[in-house]
Structures are given as C-alpha cells and as structure tokens.
Amino acid sequence: MTTQTTAPQTPDTPAAPGPSGLIAIPTNIARALALGGAVLAIISTFMSWTWTSQFAGDLTVYGYPAGLQVLVLIGGALTALFALAGYGVKGLRHLVPAGGDAALRFAALATFATAWYTVIAISYELGGVVNLDPGGFIVAIATLTALVGALALPFEKPEPDPIDPDDDAWEQFKNKAAHKRATVKAAFAADSPGPVGKLPSWVEILVIIAVMALALTVFTYGIGTPTDQDELFIGFLITAGFGFAALNKSGLVAQAAQITSRHQTITVFGAFIAAALFPFTQTDDQYATIGVYILIFATVALGLNIVVGLAGLLDLGYVAFLGVGAYAAALVSGSPNSPWDVHFPFWAAVLVGAAASLAFGVLIGAPTLRLRGDYLAIVTLGFGEIFRITANNLDGTSGPDITNGSNGISSIPDLNILGWDLGAPHDIAGFTIGRFANYFLLMLLITAVVVLVFRRSGDSRIGRAWVAIREDETAALAMGINGFKVKLIAFAVGASLAGLAGTVQAHVTYTVTPEQYQFAGPIPPNSAFLLAAVVLGGMGTIGGPLIGASLLYLIPNKLQFLGDYQLFAFGVALILLMRFRPEGLVANRRRQLEFHEEAEAPTVLSKTGA
C-alpha cells in the first residue's frame, strides 16, 4: 500500500485568483485613480471650458462654476466621497452602508457621462475641439481617469450556487436563494459598517428634513432649466439618473426609506411643506405653470392608483373621468359659452365635478366590472373613446347643444375663493405670487385631500378587500368578499378623485375641449401616460404615482426639441427602467419580493407593503 502525499505549496505557486474589476489594475492604484480623477474634475469646474458664451450657460469664467459645470462638480464631489469611504476614512464609511464599490462606479459614470456630453456638445455646436479651453480638456481626462479607476476596483460576486441533484426543483430554488444571500452578506461584511440602527427621533426628523430639502432642490433645478438651454436639461437627467443609482447602490436610499417609514406622518407633512415652498423659489410664473400641471397629472394618477394599484383593475379610459369633472365644472362656473346660465362658487363647482365623475364611474362600472383582465381593459378603453366622441358631437347639430362640440367650453373665469382672486398676482412676505402659483397652492391642497383619501382607504377594511381582489379574486370570493361591490367602490372613488382634479384643470386652462382627453398623445395627461405614471412610479404606493407623474410630464415638456424622436427616446427610457427596476421607482415590500427572487422575505409585512 502506497501513501500519496501532496507537495507543499511554494511561494512560486500562484494563489487562487480573487475578485477583480473590468480592468486589470491593482486595487490601491485603481482607488487612487478614482479619487485623483474626481478631485481633478472638481478643480476643472473652476476653470474655463470654452472661450465663447454662445454655449448653454457661461462656461468661460474662471473661479465660478456655471451651467453644466455645476453638475460635474456635484458628480465629482460624490465620486470623491465614495472613494474616501472605500479607504475607511472615519465618518465617511456610513456613506456606503451596503458596502462594496458599486456606488463609486455609478458616481464616476455620472461625472464622466455629464462631462463628456458637455465636451462633445461644445465641439459639435461650436465647430470642433478647437473651441475648448484648457478646463474642457482637463475635465475630459480627469473624469475618464476616475471612471477607469472605479471600473478597475473588484466586483464582489457570489460564488456559483451549489446544486444537489437529489433535490427537487423547489428545494434547489430555495437553496440557491439562501446561498446567494449568505454569499453576498459575507462578501460585504468586511467592507460595510452595517445598517445604522434606530437613531434618536430628533436626528431622524433632521434626516427627513434634509431629504425633503434635497428633493425640492433637485426638482426646482430640473424644472427651472431654461427652455433655450436643452443641453443643460439633458446633463441634469444624466447626473440625476446615475446619481440616484449611486445613492441607491450605496444603501442610503434604503436607509432613508426606513427612516421615513417610521415617521410617515412627519414625512407626508414635510413633503407638502417642501412643495408649498416651490412657488417662492421661482422668479418667473412660467415654471409654476409646469408645477400646477404636474400636480393635476399627479393627482389623477393617484386616483388611478386606487383602481389599478390597490384593486388590480386595468382601466385604459381613466382620463375620461378627468374630462367629466372638467366639463361639469365648466358648465356651472359662469362661462359665456355654457348653455346653462349659472355661476356656482368654487366649493359648489368642485362638488358638481366630483359628483358627476362619481355618477359616471358607477354608471360605467356597474355593467362592466363583472369582466376581468383584458376584457375589462378593452371595455374601459372603449368608454374613454366614447366620452371623447360624445363630447365632440354635443354641439347642437349632431346632438344637443351642451359641450359646444370641438370648440369646447371657453372663457372659463378665474376662481375667486373668499375674496382671493386666483387670476391676479399677490404679494406674500415680499414674494410676488402669480396666477399659476395661486393655482399651484390650491392644487396642492386638493392633492393633500387625495393623499389622505388614498392613505385612509388603503389601510381600511375596504382597502384590504381591494388588495385581496387584486392578489387572487377567486380566493377573495371564497372568503366571503363581495367582489363586485368592492370593485365598484374602487371605480367610484377613483373616478370622483379624477373629477376633483378636473374642476381645477378647467379653470387653469380657461378652455375644455374633447382633444384634451385622448387615450394617447405626445403630452399628458392621457390614459396611456396616467397608467405609465402608476406603473413607473410604483403601484399601490403614495409617492410612486406622484414621482412618476412628475417625471412623465416634466421630461416630455423639456424634450420637445427632439421633435419626432421625442416619443422614441421616451419609450427607450421606459424600456430600460422596466428592465432594471420593474417594481417601480417607489416600490412597496411585496412588489420587491415579486420581482426580485433573491430578496429576503420579511418576517412581518407592514401596512404599507400591501
């Protein structure tokens, strides 16, 4: 019998390869490149990038960043902070509670993409790279260096999943998921400071205030980009998109979500306070115009979220309820084109608009809600088109003279609430609030009412019944839930909320026409954009449709210079978002578990996880 021995490993024996980045550079050199490139990019923003001021923003001044330089400055600062956190600098390790260098890679990518887009745009619009000053060349080299260093850092990848051939498919799936979670946690344990425990209440409230201030700053910057500086808005989208991805990969977004979920009332109140401050940050009523339309769109999307997100009813003609409320309010608000010579006060017009939409919701829902799935979607799509065609035919020739046909109801007077004329500018604390700012504040109050209704109904017994119907209607019926009644209530509540927003829209636009309420079109609101706002933002949540509606209105409004390619670019963006974040921008816990198999199931689902 012979004994087989193994030779000891000598120093010349190669060690097992560890995780590596996309580029073969030692880790210490790669991190130094990322940090050095980020610092040099920051310095370059205080230099001149071009010799002429013909490009968007004045990039010719030394010592004062402007335009796209500000965005590169923000991206460079974020990259430098994440790089220093990777060195283990005390006080900065908590910037990456999730561990790893994914946040650093996305921050470096944001800085690189914004800087190189600016350099290429300057060269293209002004006629070559000869129009670049030294700062333009330096920022291009610096951001490329930072990106190369970030991509060279090791990727923490889980080891291959062990599979036992004797296990059935379900056991293999469970073992695979458990092994993946354990491997990822072990890989990040050494680099991550771990999740931050529950902080003192006053500290968490300060965090909420900081989050709201950041959101207000980002929204104000995006909406305030001049219409003649399209390059600035594209750069803002690049920085904001990759910057959000960096914060999400770092774990800061998840921690902020945990803190806000523990203080939901304070968070909602703070969000409305931040929104109310928006008109006071604007020097021109032009941007308040976009703000009020965003609120109208967002309020209607939140009402649709009751129907689609909570009850699971696919409604493709929801914009018709907005039109019913707008037409009803226009008919009773004193318009000279109205066949009814009446002028109701605002509170009465609001009740008429909401009641008319509620009646139409019950009228349409009663015969159709016994259908399910695609059949219900087709019926609601038909209702939306029938409403538009009917409003177009009620012109006194094809039908009774009610809606004035394709000309619509025009010259709708401005609202006057308790002696406050919303059509006239007012001075408040040294700030001049214009017409659209007045309507913005009014629409904000209505949005608060809709949020309250959504939140209270979602947590109520009827809200739980909606969720049960959405998850499995057959099982819900077997447990004694009256499916038809529950769905009809959801349809009626959603319709009345849309009519509520329609009453304000009629006065803001001065005119109500059938063409405003189509299934699809280049500019929202329409049924396709409303449904996209709910799905994009996050079904079944409060903040999701609000954020989704804001993006879906603001981005097409700012990208009108693309012309015929506008919808193409918009569609590509939606495809990418649904590919990488199918649960939506603001997803509840249940939908995260549905779309991400590797997510660890919580012990108890919170009320907001419905």
Side-chain angles (χ1 to χ4, degrees):
M1 180 177 180
T2 59
T3 304
Q4 184 177 2
T5 59
T6 303
Q9 186 178 14
T10 63
D12 296 333
T13 304
S20 59
L22 296 177
I23 304 173
I25 299 177
T27 301
N28 56 343
I29 298 179
R31 196 175 299 278
L33 287 176
L35 178 59
V39 173
L40 189 58
I42 294 174
I43 295 175
S44 69
T45 60
F46 293 88
M47 304 174 64
S48 173
W49 288 9
T50 181
W51 61 273
T52 176
S53 60
Q54 294 180 2
F55 188 74
D58 191 358
L59 308 184
T60 64
V61 180
Y62 281 87
Y64 185 80
L68 289 163
Q69 290 176 328
V70 176
L71 300 176
V72 175
L73 174 62
I74 295 173
L78 202 60
T79 305
L81 289 175
F82 285 140
L84 291 174
Y87 278 113
V89 177
K90 185 177 180 180
L92 294 180
R93 287 175 58 87
H94 291 293
L95 287 176
V96 282
D101 292 307
L104 174 58
R105 281 187 282 272
F106 275 102
L109 182 58
T111 312
F112 168 81
T114 306
W116 277 72
Y117 166 74
T118 306
V119 170
I120 294 174
I122 291 175
S123 303
Y124 175 77
E125 293 186 9
L126 300 183
V129 295
V130 69
N131 294 281
L132 293 174
D133 272 359
F137 293 102
I138 292 176
V139 74
I141 297 173
T143 54
L144 179 61
T145 303
L147 181 62
V148 169
L151 294 178
L153 291 172
F155 284 82
E156 306 292 348
K157 295 182 179 180
E159 299 176 358
D161 302 320
I163 299 297
D164 188 351
D166 296 331
D167 291 339
D168 57 17
W170 175 244
E171 290 296 331
Q172 291 182 8
F173 170 76
K174 291 195 300 182
N175 293 336
K176 180 179 179 180
H179 179 73
K180 184 179 293 186
R181 292 195 299 268
T183 306
V184 172
K185 290 180 180 179
F188 289 143
D191 297 331
S192 173
V196 177
K198 187 174 182 180
L199 301 172
S201 297
W202 65 273
V203 176
E204 294 189 340
I205 292 175
L206 289 179
V207 171
I208 294 174
I209 294 175
V211 170
M212 296 305 164
L214 177 63
L216 177 61
T217 302
V218 172
F219 179 76
T220 302
Y221 186 91
I223 204 173
T225 53
T227 55
D228 58 343
Q229 297 184 10
D230 303 321
E231 300 85 359
L232 183 57
F233 184 74
I234 294 178
F236 165 76
L237 289 181
I238 296 173
T239 304
F242 287 117
F244 177 80
L247 295 177
N248 185 44
K249 289 294 184 180
S250 70
L252 292 176
V253 174
Q255 285 196 350
Q258 292 177 1
I259 292 175
T260 55
S261 65
R262 288 197 290 265
H263 305 276
Q264 290 187 4
T265 303
I266 296 178
T267 301
V268 173
F269 182 76
F272 279 101
I273 291 297
L277 293 176
F278 167 72
F280 298 94
T281 63
Q282 305 299 307
T283 57
D284 191 346
D285 200 40
Q286 171 189 358
Y287 302 122
T289 307
I290 301 177
V292 68
Y293 284 121
I294 287 177
L295 280 183
I296 293 174
F297 187 24
T299 303
V300 180
L302 194 58
L304 178 62
N305 198 24
I306 293 180
V307 180
V308 177
L310 294 183
L313 306 174
L314 185 54
D315 189 350
L316 298 182
Y318 188 76
V319 74
F321 298 122
L322 175 68
V324 170
Y327 267 104
L331 289 172
V332 299
S333 294
S335 170
N337 299 113
S338 171
W340 305 340
D341 189 15
V342 293
H343 191 173
F344 287 3
F346 172 67
W347 63 268
V350 166
L351 293 179
V352 169
S357 296
L358 174 64
F360 271 83
V362 173
L363 182 64
I364 298 301
T368 61
L369 287 179
R370 301 186 187 277
L371 303 174
R372 298 186 185 183
D374 299 338
Y375 301 100
L376 177 62
I378 293 173
V379 171
T380 54
L381 174 61
F383 162 67
E385 291 301 301
I386 289 172
F387 165 76
R388 182 178 59 84
I389 295 173
T390 302
N392 201 36
N393 289 334
L394 297 180
D395 56 357
T397 302
S398 302
D401 186 11
I402 298 178
T403 64
N404 203 22
S406 59
N407 294 325
I409 301 176
S410 59
S411 302
I412 303 173
D414 282 308
L415 292 173
N416 192 302
I417 303 176
L418 300 177
W420 186 278
D421 185 4
L422 272 67
H426 301 276
D427 292 330
I428 301 177
F431 295 91
T432 301
I433 304 299
R435 176 180 183 269
F436 288 104
N438 293 329
Y439 279 105
F440 178 88
L441 296 176
L442 172 63
M443 197 62 218
L444 189 62
L445 293 177
I446 294 179
T447 304
V449 173
V450 175
V451 168
L452 179 63
V453 171
F454 182 92
R455 186 177 178 184
R456 298 298 296 174
S457 60
D459 292 337
S460 65
R461 181 178 179 180
I462 190 66
R464 295 304 176 190
W466 289 337
V467 174
I469 291 291
R470 180 194 68 192
E471 296 298 325
D472 193 329
E473 184 173 354
T474 303
L477 296 177
M479 295 303 295
I481 296 177
N482 189 334
F484 174 75
K485 178 182 177 181
V486 167
K487 291 190 291 185
L488 186 60
I489 293 175
F491 219 67
V493 172
S496 61
L497 295 181
L500 192 66
T503 59
V504 179
Q505 186 204 28
H507 292 85
V508 172
T509 59
Y510 288 129
T511 303
V512 179
T513 59
E515 288 72 19
Q516 296 175 343
Y517 310 104
Q518 301 181 8
F519 169 73
I523 298 295
N526 52 64
S527 294
F529 272 81
L530 288 171
L531 184 60
V534 174
V535 177
L536 170 69
M539 296 174 59
T541 63
I542 294 177
L546 299 178
I547 296 177
S550 301
L551 293 177
L552 290 184
Y553 189 90
L554 180 61
I555 293 177
N557 186 276
K558 292 290 186 177
L559 295 183
Q560 292 183 11
F561 66 93
L562 292 178
D564 295 337
Y565 296 97
Q566 177 183 348
L567 288 180
F568 172 78
F570 181 69
V572 171
L574 287 182
I575 292 174
L576 293 176
L577 184 62
M578 290 295 100
R579 167 60 182 84
F580 294 104
R581 195 171 177 83
E583 70 273 22
L585 295 176
V586 182
N588 55 36
R589 185 61 173 164
R590 178 176 279 113
R591 289 187 61 81
Q592 287 179 333
L593 294 175
E594 290 176 357
F595 286 102
H596 298 283
E597 297 175 351
E598 71 274 11
E600 186 174 4
T603 304
V604 178
L605 286 175
S606 63
K607 293 191 296 183
T608 57

